Amino acid sequence: MAKKRVPKVGDRVDAIGHHGAFVVFEINTKLQTAKLTRIGSPGLILNVGWHHIGFLDEPDASQTAARIVRDR
């Protein structure tokens, strides 16, 4: 089974049920939620579960390395 990518601050994402592109600005690892702000509309803030997030960028090398270490 494929592992779900964990969001990090600064990731560009979309959110199921919401229109537009967002940036992650806060993470809650205990609740597995992320606070998002819409690109171009900094007043809008969403708090969504990680399973509702789709990533607009490829993971960087540190995310890939962290996944390999965790899988072992």
Side-chain angles (χ1 to χ4, degrees):
M1 176 173 25
K3 299 280 184 186
K4 178 73 174 161
R5 181 174 161 191
V6 176
K8 65 177 185 170
V9 173
D11 279 344
R12 292 181 342 116
V13 300
D14 59 8
I16 295 174
H18 300 278
H19 296 286
F22 300 86
V23 174
V24 176
F25 74 92
E26 189 176 310
I27 299 291
N28 184 324
T29 55
K30 185 175 181 179
L31 298 176
Q32 293 189 347
T33 60
K35 287 189 180 177
L36 312 177
T37 185
R38 184 174 304 190
I39 295 173
S41 300
L44 177 68
I45 298 173
L46 300 175
N47 192 27
V48 299
W50 292 355
H51 59 282
H52 288 127
I53 292 175
F55 294 90
L56 301 177
D57 298 325
E58 293 295 319
D60 64 21
S62 66
Q63 288 249 337
T64 304
R67 188 177 316 119
I68 292 167
V69 170
R70 276 197 311 264
D71 286 348
R72 290 185 173 217

